[in-house]
């Protein structure tokens, strides 16, 4: 028999991206049978721990944007979250985001553009072909994940709305639904959660307008129905549940800068050489993989994307522009 027990399979083999896709197809065809035959356990859980609301998103994997690290199990991706609008504990978003309303959904695109528009989610999704990309995500708190997102480059949207010469920054305004977001009652941050990128950063092909994860639409706790992912920056730059994209001339004051400008800067590029004032950023813990006693994992400059993005910051002092 070719059936092997999970214990016989090397972890690297189990979670390689290609295996994930093959397994996904295989499991869809023969999920129950495979489970009964002994491929159950965490293989199955990893493929299907997705929340029940997810719909399949057809996407083509773009190998140019796939890191080879082991994928973080979907269970961790969808239950260990930062989404302060739903509470500040890691489990709060998964526990509290169930009532969040994502239908109907529109995104207003305004400011310094020739073609401002308010666009419905379905039309937004059709702006460009969906791709699957595997990115590292590094939170400023010192943990990281490896996540298979679904979306397309934000630049696709930007090109269509034709920014004027005055557009120097892009501001992302995220949802506020007081009836469904218990965290809005707390004053940890100023709401709405606002983030921003410089125009050239927003145009970089890595900056992903993201609609899904693990082959399905985003769970609410991950920023449904549409969010940004800028993988070379600390996770807080990647605003969830976008309702407005504004093109502006002046550098926006983001929620985290308002909350603590000495701790969180505008650029927030992942940088092991620039410690947070209260902790080092030299190492990280990979969620779902590294335990308390695992050796420290080195954090990479620009989260490992230096080859692709370092030129955006040529001549800039990245200690000053943290
Ligand atoms: N609207 C909003 N977006 C947000 C946050 C938030 O609290 N509110 N947290 C950020 C932080 S700190 C991180 S690390 C990432 C986490 O994304 P994930 O939960 O999908 O891994 O979302 C970012 N986007
Ligand atoms: Mo974060």
């Amino acid at each position: 028999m070719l059936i092997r027990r999970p214990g016989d399979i090397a972890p690297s083999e189990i979670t390689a991206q290609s295996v994930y896709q093959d397994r996904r197809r295989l499991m869809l065809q023969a999920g129950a049978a495979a489970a009964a035959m002994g491929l159950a356990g965490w293989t199955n859980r990893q493929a299907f721990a997705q929340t029940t609301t997810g719909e399949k998103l057809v996407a083509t994997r773009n190998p140019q944007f796939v890191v080879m690290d082991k994928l973080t199990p979907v269970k961790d991706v969808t239950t260990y979250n930062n989404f302060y609008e739903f509470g500040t504990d890691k489990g709060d978003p998964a526990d509290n985001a169930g009532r969040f309303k994502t239908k109907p959904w529109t995104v207003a695109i305004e400011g310094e553009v020739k073609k401002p528009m308010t666009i419905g989610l379905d039309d937004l999704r059709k702006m460009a072909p969906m791709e699957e990309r595997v990115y590292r995500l590094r939170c400023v708190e010192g943990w990281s994940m490896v996540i298979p997102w679904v979306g397309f480059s934000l630049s696709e949207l930007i090109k269509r709305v034709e920014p004027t010469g005055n557009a120097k920054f892009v501001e992302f305004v995220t949802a506020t639904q007081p009836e469904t977001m218990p965290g809005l009652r707390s004053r940890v941050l100023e709401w709405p959660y606002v983030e921003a990128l410089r125009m050239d950063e927003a145009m970089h092909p890595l900056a992903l307008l993201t609609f899904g994860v693990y082959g399905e639409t985003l769970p609410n706790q991950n920023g449904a129905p549409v969010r940004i992912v800028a993988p070379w920056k600390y996770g807080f730059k990647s605003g969830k549940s976008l309702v407005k994209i504004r093109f502006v001339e002046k550098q926006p004051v983001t929620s985290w800068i308002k909350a603590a400008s000495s701790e969180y800067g505008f650029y927030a590029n992942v940088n092991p050489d620039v410690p947070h004032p209260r902790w080092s950023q030299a190492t990280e813990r990979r969620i779902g993989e590294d335990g308390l006693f695992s050796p420290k994992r080195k954090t990479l400059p620009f989260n490992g994307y230096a080859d692709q993005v370092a030129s955006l910051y040529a001549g800039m002092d990245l200690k000053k522009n943290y």
Side-chain angles (χ1 to χ4, degrees), residues 82 138-141 143 234-236:
N82 275 337
R138 170 61 156 81
C139 178
V140 76
E141 296 165 338
W143 51 266
Y234 291 117
F236 69 83

Side-chain angles (χ1 to χ4, degrees), residues 115-250:
K115 294 186 173 159
M117 57 175 83
T118 295
I119 186 168
L121 183 70
D122 288 341
D123 290 329
L124 188 60
R125 277 182 179 174
K126 285 181 207 139
M127 263 191 182
M130 290 282 176
E131 295 177 7
E132 180 170 70
R133 302 183 180 188
V134 180
Y135 283 167
R136 289 184 210 94
L137 180 135
R138 170 61 156 81
C139 178
V140 76
E141 296 165 338
W143 51 266
S144 62
M145 297 196 193
V146 182
I147 305 180
W149 300 112
V150 178
F152 49 76
S153 290
L154 175 63
S155 65
E156 299 280 357
L157 176 149
I158 296 177
K159 283 184 225 151
R160 277 169 183 73
V161 297
E162 298 179 25
T164 71
N166 294 330
K168 301 287 192 303
F169 296 90
V170 190
E171 185 179 60
F172 306 98
V173 182
T174 83
T176 49
Q177 273 177 27
E179 1 33 284
T180 67
M181 291 175 147
L184 295 181
R185 276 178 251 136
S186 132
R187 304 259 185 94
V188 268
L189 290 174
E190 192 171 292
W191 315 111
Y193 189 102
V194 170
E195 259 308 333
L197 296 170
R198 207 173 61 190
M199 197 64 183
D200 58 340
E201 298 178 320
M203 284 298 290
H204 194 282
L206 271 172
L208 193 69
L209 191 64
T210 307
F211 300 86
V213 67
Y214 266 101
E216 294 182 9
T217 51
L218 288 169
N220 293 345
Q221 60 268 33
N222 292 91
V226 58
R227 68 177 291 177
I228 295 298
V229 179
W232 69 99
K233 293 176 176 285
Y234 291 117
F236 69 83
K237 295 297 290 182
S238 297
K240 293 175 167 180
S241 305
L242 301 179
V243 294
K244 198 181 285 184
I245 300 177
R246 290 179 62 215
F247 292 76
V248 297
E249 187 159 13
K250 293 210 183 86

Side-chain angles (χ1 to χ4, degrees), residues 96 120 278:
N96 299 336
R278 291 183 279 131

